Amino acid sequence: MSLALIIPDRKLDDLQQRLSQALPDTRVEIWPDITDPAAVEFAVVWKQPPGSVAALPNLKAIQCFGAGVDAILADPTLPALPIARIVDPALTQTMVRYLDGVLSYYRLRLDLFKQQQQQAVWQPKSPRRIAHICVLGLGELGAAAANYFAALGYQVSGWARTAKQLAGVQCYSGDAGLAPAVAQADVVICLLPLTPATDSLLDGPFFSRLKAGAIFINVARGAIVDDEALLAALNNGQLQGACLDVFRQEPLPAQHPFWQQPNILITPHVSAVTNVSTVVAQIADNYRRSQTGEAMANLVNLNKGY
Ligand code: NAP
């Protein structure tokens, strides 16, 4: 009986050691160094090479190593197995802190002052007026962000697939709810999952519906946004700035026009990175559940894709 870590882009010694301590009777191995693929019953997975999960014939369950499962589901060879994802209050707090920092960056006009510094320009300006924030996606992360900004006194609207009630947040849902949700927003934050329904959802018509001069923040997935439409909206003044943490292709290719766009702030997918120390317990718990036949916690609805 063994557990495989299929997470190609990360150093895994710490995770392997902590999971081995939590599950002393289980062999924890790092893909591709799997002693016996037939002995693997549980896999912790993130951006797996296609076919790597299908090569484990006796796998019972998959634990995604992050909150979003789009990369796992993109593997056409993926076996039909239950998938759990990470829901971690520490991860949520990290995301909210990142968004709070980005909001301060724009409110204090640090984008403008950085440009002025490069030209040795001394020109004081009072903070930007940011009164209304819209959060697209009101799940674990989106609801936490919406609640946080509402508690700070911002006007907050939010949009989800199904109707929601959040104190201090004007909630909209369904296709018809998107336009009114964003209409008055000075800042729009994307915290939607990437699914067939949200792929390229934020396109030219979407950006044209925003308030002129709005600021857009994407911390969800790059493919939810139409890159060309975003650049057009930044160039024609529909948007005055965009902060992007996620991209269609990561790392963002050196020749991508986003790098050269003066009103884009780029961060390299760091807004809420899974913290090994805070998620080991839930991974070990899901492993035990999969062994006893109990449903895993934080199961993904495979029909919805998130
Ligand atoms: P979640 O709990 O699954 O919430 C997703 C929200 O999006 C739900 O409110 C859902 O509506 C809504 N939604 C889904 N499809 C929709 C659609 N077609 N139209 C309107 N609303 C839709 O997800 P989460 O944990 O908050 O995470 C959100 C995403 O953030 C993840 O999928 C991941 O891609 C991204 N993320 C990024 C980072 C990073 O470091 N940049 C870190 C963690 C997560 P319902 O509530 O009605 O179902």
Side-chain angles (χ1 to χ4, degrees), residues 78-159:
L78 194 74
L81 290 170
I83 303 176
R85 70 189 190 104
I86 295 295
V87 174
D88 175 22
L91 184 92
T92 303
Q93 190 185 42
T94 306
M95 177 61 84
V96 171
R97 283 191 179 148
Y98 172 95
L99 292 170
D100 189 39
V102 172
L103 210 77
S104 295
Y105 170 87
Y106 286 113
R107 195 173 48 77
L108 297 173
R109 297 190 192 271
L110 301 186
D111 53 337
L112 174 69
F113 296 140
K114 181 72 190 167
Q115 281 175 21
Q116 288 186 185
Q117 180 183 341
Q118 279 157 357
Q119 295 150 14
V121 170
W122 179 278
Q123 196 174 344
K125 210 161 178 196
S126 53
R128 269 196 190 93
R129 189 178 171 275
I130 295 176
H132 187 137
I133 298 171
C134 174
V135 183
L136 304 179
L138 293 173
E140 292 293 333
L141 302 177
N147 286 332
Y148 176 81
F149 290 119
L152 288 181
Y154 289 97
Q155 244 181 296
V156 179
S157 55
W159 182 64

Side-chain angles (χ1 to χ4, degrees), residues 85 138-141 160-162 164 193 219 221 245 271-272 306:
R85 70 189 190 104
L138 293 173
E140 292 293 333
L141 302 177
R161 206 174 48 82
T162 57
K164 298 270 175 289
V219 279
R221 287 291 181 265
D245 184 52
S271 55
Y306 66 95

Side-chain angles (χ1 to χ4, degrees), residues 134 136 159 178-179 181-183 188-190 192 200-211 215-216 224-226 229-230 233 238-239:
C134 174
L136 304 179
W159 182 64
L178 181 56
V182 298
V188 176
I189 297 170
C190 177
L192 293 164
S200 304
L201 177 75
L202 308 186
D203 55 6
F206 167 80
F207 288 115
S208 69
R209 272 188 228 117
L210 304 187
K211 195 165 154 180
I215 288 163
F216 174 69
I224 298 171
V225 173
D226 175 337
L230 174 61
Q238 181 65 28
L239 289 174

Side-chain angles (χ1 to χ4, degrees), residues 235-259:
N235 284 325
N236 68 22
Q238 181 65 28
L239 289 174
Q240 61 174 304
C243 169
L244 306 177
D245 184 52
V246 288
F247 304 89
R248 253 166 213 278
Q249 191 184 337
E250 295 182 4
L252 184 64
Q255 68 281 8
H256 197 288
F258 284 171
W259 287 114

Side-chain angles (χ1 to χ4, degrees), residues 172-186:
Y172 298 86
S173 60
D175 292 350
L178 181 56
V182 298
Q184 302 303 321
D186 301 302

